[in-house]
């Protein structure tokens, strides 16, 4: 008979995708990087797929029409699903504004292996941050089809986790995600090392 411990170890070795979605400057990439760092420090390999980086390589040449945006997300989703299928831990951070394509990516993976994280930062806060100056350009009409300004962002209806980046730091939010993964037996509880439990 297979022991409970063996079953859990087998479960921990299976893949999982953490998919961050939210407006530009909501804090997706910083929180995703914090989570990846914590998981790496605890000995598990992590693949990071950031929307901006992917666009310069895998999706180079795509524009920002709905069709191109969907294709970009579909490509990220396919790569992520392959990583998950081979037992990897993958963290994706992309605006992914349209609900249908996010659900399509979810369907690419085994049930329970896609964790949607909605970074629910208010538009006003994102505009105040605006590190690339894109919101300002969109307000001036210099950039069109910008998510949250003249193109919609469709709020997730079934996100496993919703984050507040105003009240919480990226590290605090990363640990909220880690706790969720532990509760679902997707990672070993040992990942919450004693020295980090006080955070």
């Amino acid at each position: 008979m297979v022991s409970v411990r063996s079953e859990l170890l087998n479960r921990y070795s299976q893949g999982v995708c953490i998919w961050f979605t939210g407006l530009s400057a909501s804090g997706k990439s910083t929180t995703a990087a914090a989570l990846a760092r914590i998981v790496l420090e605890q000995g598990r390999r992590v693949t990071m797929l950031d929307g901006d980086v992917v666009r310069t390589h895998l999706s180079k040449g795509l524009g920002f029409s709905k069709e191109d945006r969907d294709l970009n997300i579909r490509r990220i989703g396919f790569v992520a699903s392959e990583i998950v299928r081979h037992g990897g831990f993958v963290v994706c951070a992309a605006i992914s504004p349209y609900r249908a394509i996010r659900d399509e990516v979810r369907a690419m993976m085994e049930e329970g292996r896609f964790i949607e994280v909605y970074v629910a930062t208010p538009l006003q806060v994102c505009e105040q941050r605006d590190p690339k100056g894109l919101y300002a350009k969109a307000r001036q009409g210099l950039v069109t089809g910008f998510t949250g300004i003249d193109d919609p962002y469709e709020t997730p209806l079934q996100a496993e986790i919703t984050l507040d980046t105003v009240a919480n730091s990226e590290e605090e939010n990363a640990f909220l995600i880690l706790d969720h993964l532990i509760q679902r037996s997707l990672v070993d509880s040992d990942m919450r090392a004693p020295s980090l439990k006080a955070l």
Side-chain angles (χ1 to χ4, degrees):
M1 181 179 293
V2 179
S3 70
V4 172
R5 178 64 177 171
S6 295
E7 289 179 357
L8 285 175
L9 287 173
N10 181 59
R11 185 171 177 80
Y12 298 149
S13 69
Q14 295 182 42
V16 61
C17 172
I18 314 301
W19 188 280
F20 289 81
T21 177
L23 295 170
S24 178
S26 61
K28 299 180 300 300
S29 295
T30 53
T31 307
L35 175 65
R37 183 175 64 253
I38 292 167
V39 174
L40 278 169
E41 287 173 351
Q42 297 306 310
R44 183 160 184 182
R45 293 181 179 177
V46 179
T47 300
M48 180 87 171
L49 297 176
D50 183 89
D52 288 342
V53 177
V54 169
R55 272 194 171 272
T56 66
H57 299 285
L58 183 64
S59 294
K60 186 175 182 179
L62 289 182
F64 290 89
S65 66
K66 185 179 187 305
E67 293 73 19
D68 280 3
R69 287 179 179 182
D70 282 352
L71 179 55
N72 179 51
I73 297 305
R74 194 173 286 116
R75 287 177 179 177
I76 297 173
F78 173 75
V79 173
S81 70
E82 286 297 294
I83 293 169
V84 169
R85 188 166 68 87
H86 291 284
F89 190 112
V90 58
V91 177
C92 304
I95 294 173
S96 43
Y98 309 124
R99 198 174 292 132
I101 193 66
R102 293 195 305 264
D103 290 344
E104 183 180 321
V105 172
R106 179 186 290 272
M108 292 179 183
M109 303 179 207
E110 181 183 340
E111 185 175 354
R113 296 287 158 185
F114 179 89
I115 307 298
E116 188 174 33
V117 179
Y118 173 38
V119 186
T121 307
L123 175 60
Q124 181 180 6
V125 175
C126 294
E127 288 197 66
Q128 288 171 352
R129 294 173 178 172
D130 201 13
K132 301 174 185 176
L134 295 176
Y135 282 103
K137 290 180 180 178
R139 291 294 188 189
Q140 295 167 21
L142 301 176
V143 174
T144 59
F146 193 78
T147 302
I149 303 300
D150 59 345
D151 200 73
Y153 176 81
E154 298 173 359
T155 303
L157 300 178
Q158 55 180 341
E160 282 75 12
I161 303 169
T162 297
L163 300 180
D164 181 341
T165 68
V166 177
N168 301 329
S169 69
E170 58 263 28
E171 287 83 6
E172 289 170 330
N173 279 328
F175 276 104
L176 288 175
I177 297 167
L178 188 62
D179 286 342
H180 178 87
L181 297 177
I182 290 170
Q183 289 168 10
R184 295 183 60 168
S185 298
L186 291 170
V187 298
D188 193 334
S189 59
D190 289 346
M191 276 197 176
R192 229 191 192 293
S195 61
L196 300 175
K197 288 182 178 179
L199 293 181

